[in-house]
């Protein structure tokens, strides 16, 4: 066992003395040392309950004959950090989480790890660490929030953001805003729609790194406590069998995850995180592959913000395994892959039926024959950009209109809220990419303002930043190359006609080659917005959105 290097032999007597100081017994040090990475904190609603999950994991580890050792990981709440400087730090924390977890795991010679994440960058950050460290590892998330209720209907965080837009447009009163405020987020857990946190927790399950229900069992259900105990027990088996993350997170496993991504209609952030995790696992996962998977994978679910169903509904309908089984009817899932259960995908999903064809459409009756995410290319995004196709109104799948150009999110929001954006416009927000932001902020405030003003079916938004999983509409992000490195999005001018065809995966602005080169010759790099601290280091090392915004020395 790896822990022998700190627990066995005369040379390790000093190490054991320090374990003695921690209160560990000889009996405990003769068992596998299992690190439990706790992301619990008191600022993220999806993380406030993780102490209970961690306690359950500890019990499970001890029941199975291991010694549990808890250490922390940070997490940022994207909703609370939204719309101000805090959002610059959100994506950047993914690397901090991966790096710090790697440091703790390697420094203390754990035999195995149980990752306990829940929200947004915390999940991919820990997946990246798992692949990088590559010792036996299993995930158990904190689970999704229950949907809120308002006037007899379910509601959620995306409705809350859109209510602010509706108020600014004079469509609802301040009292109605307060009603949403008190109804949208009723319990602990990751916000209740198919947003980034729930997307990544479901994809963790699809990758084979989490047990059945990891992505969908609500946070407040006792079933999740039982799941955590089983995860604690299972890690000891993984250690005994020496089953490692790279044995599970193979190229075929990522193909399965992409297929589930398309079927569920996950957040576009998955197109940043899956490539980043794959990179750590030694698998190349470019966005061309994503489009190929999307072309043959039907979209079976329309959870919020694409529709009016929620994570609790998906769980009741059979969860991720039921979706995998549905796709497997047409051979779209690779079933012979090893998973954290010690069994294959096929063994895991056997008998997991779809219990509600309204929540999970049958393979014969999908929402669309193609997946929920599309990757677009054209002269506006030569390397690529991404859109959540399943959350775009039919009338916006093809759109042409004049560019309304803004060099930061705040300027765009001011223009939207003051009524300067009208039907037909294409809002362009640039210098918000991984380097330019820095940190690639989410644009939930401007997209919610557009929808709240009733323009969701007539205005598109394009950015080198990214979007919250709660975003809906023709919101096209991750434009690469980004403006800060001289990408063509930096050369778009007010009034340029932009043509978007999501069906054909194209995005262009109307310009001659001569004019484009003229603008390029006149373009000058901008001074960095932040010149010190972590974000300055991050901006110096981060790659483009189409490469997963990974860091590169």
């Amino acid at each position: 066992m790896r822990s022998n290097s700190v627990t066995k032999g005369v040379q390790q007597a000093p190490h054991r003395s320090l374990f003695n100081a921690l209160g560990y017994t000889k009996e405990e040090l003769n068992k596998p040392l299992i690190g439990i990475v706790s992301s619990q904190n008191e600022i993220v609603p999806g993380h406030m309950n993780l102490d209970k999950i961690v306690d359950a994991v500890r019990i499970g580890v001890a029941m199975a004959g291991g010694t549990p050792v808890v250490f922390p990981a940070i997490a940022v709440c994207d909703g609370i950090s939204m719309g101000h400087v805090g959002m610059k730090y959100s994506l950047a924390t993914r690397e901090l989480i991966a790096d710090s977890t790697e440091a703790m795991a390697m420094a203390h010679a754990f035999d195995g790890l149980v990752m306990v994440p829940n929200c947004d960058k915390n999940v991919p950050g820990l997946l990246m660490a798992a692949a990088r460290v590559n010792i036996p590892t299993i995930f158990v998330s904190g689970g999704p929030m229950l949907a809120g209720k308002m006037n007899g209907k379910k509601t959620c965080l995306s409705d809350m953001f859109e209510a602010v837009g509706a108020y600014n447009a004079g469509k609802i009163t301040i009292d109605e805003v307060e009603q949403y405020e008190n109804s949208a987020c009723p319990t602990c857990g990751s916000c209740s729609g198919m947003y980034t946190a729930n997307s990544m927790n479901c994809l963790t399950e699809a990758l084979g790194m989490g047990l059945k229900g990891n992505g969908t069992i609500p946070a407040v259900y006792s079933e999740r406590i039982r799941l955590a105990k089983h995860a604690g027990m299972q890690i000891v088996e993984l250690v005994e069998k020496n089953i490692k993350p790279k044995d599970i997170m193979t190229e075929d496993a990522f193909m399965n995850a992409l297929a589930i991504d398309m079927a569920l209609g996950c957040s576009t952030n998955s197109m940043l995180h899956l490539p980043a995790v794959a990179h750590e696992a030694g698998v190349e996962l470019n966005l061309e592959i994503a489009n190929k998977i999307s072309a043959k994978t039907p979209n079976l679910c329309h959870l919020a913000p694409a529709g009016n169903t929620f994570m609790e509904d998906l769980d009741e309908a059979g969860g991720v395994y039921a979706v995998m089984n549905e796709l497997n009817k047409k051979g779209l899932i690779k079933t012979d892959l090893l998973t954290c259960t010690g069994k294959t995908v096929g063994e895991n999903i056997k008998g997991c039926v779809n219990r509600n064809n309204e929540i999970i459409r049958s393979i014969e009756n999908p929402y669309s024959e193609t997946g929920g995410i599309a990757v677009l290319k054209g002269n506006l995004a030569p390397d690529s950009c991404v859109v959540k196709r399943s959350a775009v109104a039919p009338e916006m799948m093809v759109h042409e209109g004049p560019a309304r150009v803004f060099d930061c999110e705040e300027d765009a929001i001011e223009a939207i809220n003051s009524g300067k954006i009208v039907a037909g416009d294409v809002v362009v927000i640039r210098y918000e990419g991984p380097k330019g932001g820095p940190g690639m902020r989410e644009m939930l405030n401007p997209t919610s303002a557009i929808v709240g003003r009733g323009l969701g079916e007539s205005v598109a938004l394009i950015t080198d930043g990214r979007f919250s999983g709660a975003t809906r509409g023709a919101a096209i992000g991750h434009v690469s190359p980004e403006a800060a490195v001289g990408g063509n999005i930096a050369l778009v001018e007010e009034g340029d006609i932009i043509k978007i065809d999501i069906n054909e995966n194209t995005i262009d602005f109307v310009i001659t080659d001569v004019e484009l080169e003229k603008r390029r010759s006149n373009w000058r790099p901008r001074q960095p917005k932040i010149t010190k601290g972590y974000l300055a280091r991050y901006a110096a090392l981060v790659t483009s959105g189409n490469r997963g915004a990974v860091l590169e020395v």
Side-chain angles (χ1 to χ4, degrees):
M1 295 192 297
R2 292 179 77 250
S3 60
N4 286 352
S5 62
V6 294
T7 61
K8 299 292 189 296
V10 175
Q11 282 296 121
Q12 281 66 43
H15 303 71
R16 289 194 298 275
S17 72
L18 293 168
F19 278 105
N20 290 341
L22 288 161
Y24 288 100
T25 65
K26 286 183 179 180
E27 291 80 5
E28 287 174 299
L29 298 184
N30 283 328
K31 298 175 181 179
L33 285 185
I34 306 299
I36 302 173
V37 185
S38 172
S39 305
Q40 194 270 340
N41 65 42
E42 295 182 352
I43 190 63
V44 184
H47 289 230
M48 64 180 287
N49 65 314
L50 295 191
D51 54 343
K52 294 179 175 61
I53 303 298
V54 168
D55 285 345
V57 171
R58 292 179 67 146
I59 292 170
V61 169
M63 286 170 63
T67 297
V69 183
V70 179
F71 65 88
I74 65 168
V76 162
C77 177
D78 276 20
I80 294 175
S81 66
M82 191 73 66
H84 59 96
V85 70
M87 181 46 68
K88 294 178 183 290
Y89 286 87
S90 171
L91 179 60
T93 63
R94 188 185 70 182
E95 318 308 315
L96 286 175
I97 292 161
D99 291 351
S100 59
T101 302
E102 172 199 356
M104 289 293 288
M106 297 304 292
H108 300 103
F110 291 109
D111 297 303
L113 296 170
V114 182
M115 307 294 199
V116 187
N118 210 27
C119 289
D120 295 355
K121 314 313 162 293
N122 189 243
V123 185
L126 291 179
L127 282 168
M128 290 165 69
R132 191 185 301 169
V133 174
N134 200 35
I135 62 174
T137 303
I138 194 168
F139 279 66
V140 56
S141 75
M145 184 183 291
L146 294 178
K149 290 185 179 178
M150 182 170 167
N151 300 325
K153 294 182 179 180
K154 289 183 178 180
T155 187
C156 60
L157 183 65
S158 50
D159 293 333
M160 178 71 255
F161 274 90
E162 290 171 14
V164 174
Y167 171 76
N168 288 331
K171 292 175 179 267
I172 63 173
T173 66
I174 191 64
D175 289 340
E176 289 173 298
V177 172
E178 189 172 350
Q179 274 187 282
Y180 276 108
E181 185 179 329
N182 292 325
S183 305
C185 300
T187 70
C188 64
S190 47
C191 296
S192 56
M194 188 52 79
Y195 310 145
T196 304
N198 293 323
S199 294
M200 292 310 301
N201 284 324
C202 287
L203 295 179
T204 298
E205 197 174 331
L207 275 170
M209 291 296 292
L211 300 177
K212 179 186 176 185
N214 177 72
T216 59
I217 298 170
V220 295
Y221 285 10
S222 296
E223 185 182 358
R224 184 154 290 276
I225 300 296
R226 298 196 297 272
L227 177 74
K229 290 177 182 176
H230 283 128
M233 289 185 272
Q234 186 59 26
I235 188 58
V236 178
E237 180 180 323
L238 293 176
V239 170
E240 290 170 351
K241 293 181 177 179
N242 198 30
I243 297 174
K244 301 175 182 177
K246 286 185 179 180
D247 300 325
I248 295 170
M249 290 195 285
T250 62
E251 182 175 351
D252 283 342
F254 281 100
M255 297 306 106
N256 278 354
L258 278 173
I260 291 299
D261 194 338
M262 300 305 167
L264 289 175
C266 290
S267 163
T268 51
N269 279 312
S270 66
M271 293 295 101
L272 284 173
H273 300 324
L274 284 178
V277 177
H279 175 75
E280 296 289 352
V283 174
E284 182 183 354
L285 190 63
N286 61 53
L287 297 188
E288 300 294 331
I289 296 172
N291 255 1
K292 289 177 182 177
I293 298 289
S294 182
K296 64 180 182 181
T297 308
N299 177 226
L300 304 181
C301 300
H302 266 192
L303 282 80
N308 295 314
T309 55
F310 300 86
M311 295 304 296
E312 63 204 69
D313 303 313
L314 178 60
D315 187 62
E316 290 173 13
V320 173
Y321 278 13
V323 177
M324 295 179 82
N325 229 350
E326 202 67 47
L327 292 181
N328 194 41
K329 291 177 181 178
K330 288 193 175 180
L332 297 172
I333 293 293
K334 299 179 189 296
T335 58
D336 60 346
L337 309 182
L338 184 64
T339 71
C340 68
T341 65
K343 301 176 182 178
T344 65
V345 170
E347 290 173 310
N348 288 344
I349 68 175
K350 185 178 180 180
C352 296
V353 299
N354 179 2
R355 296 193 289 265
N356 189 333
N357 284 332
E358 294 298 314
I359 307 301
I360 304 171
R361 290 278 187 95
S362 70
I363 197 79
E364 296 82 16
N365 181 37
Y367 283 101
S368 67
E369 294 292 341
T370 52
I373 290 177
V375 177
L376 315 183
K377 277 190 173 184
N379 69 357
L380 185 52
D383 287 343
S384 70
C385 56
V386 179
V387 62
K388 187 169 182 173
R389 174 165 44 197
S390 60
V392 178
E395 53 267 46
M396 290 299 291
M397 295 295 285
V398 179
H399 182 74
E400 179 176 326
R404 306 298 308 280
V405 181
F406 305 93
D407 287 349
C408 66
E409 176 189 7
E410 288 81 0
D411 290 350
I413 292 172
E414 191 281 328
I416 296 165
N417 287 339
S418 61
K420 295 175 183 176
I421 303 301
V422 299
D425 284 347
V426 180
V427 176
V428 177
I429 306 177
R430 61 193 182 189
Y431 295 99
E432 290 284 7
K435 285 185 180 293
M440 205 177 185
R441 287 195 289 181
E442 289 182 342
M443 301 292 144
L444 181 56
N445 278 343
T447 55
S448 298
I450 287 169
V451 172
R453 295 185 75 85
L455 297 171
E457 287 76 40
S458 60
V459 169
L461 192 153
I462 299 169
T463 181
D464 52 7
R466 59 194 178 93
F467 295 109
S468 164
T471 292
R472 64 186 174 104
I476 300 166
H478 310 190
V479 170
S480 302
E482 63 174 291
V485 299
N488 285 354
I489 190 172
L491 309 180
V492 177
E493 294 184 357
E494 186 82 7
D496 284 348
I497 299 300
I498 294 178
K499 296 182 176 183
I500 302 163
D501 192 331
I502 296 172
N503 296 321
E504 296 297 324
N505 303 110
T506 61
I507 182 166
D508 295 282
F509 66 119
V510 178
I511 190 171
T512 66
D513 291 343
V514 172
E515 176 62 19
L516 185 62
E517 289 310 308
K518 178 183 175 183
R519 293 185 190 180
R520 191 181 309 284
S521 66
N522 290 330
W523 180 82
R524 296 291 181 272
R526 299 194 171 200
Q527 290 297 313
K529 295 177 183 176
I530 294 177
T531 58
K532 62 181 180 179
Y534 174 58
L535 283 182
R537 296 195 299 276
Y538 178 85
L541 297 174
V542 71
T543 60
S544 64
N546 71 302
R547 295 181 57 193
V550 297
L551 301 190
E552 193 170 75
V553 178

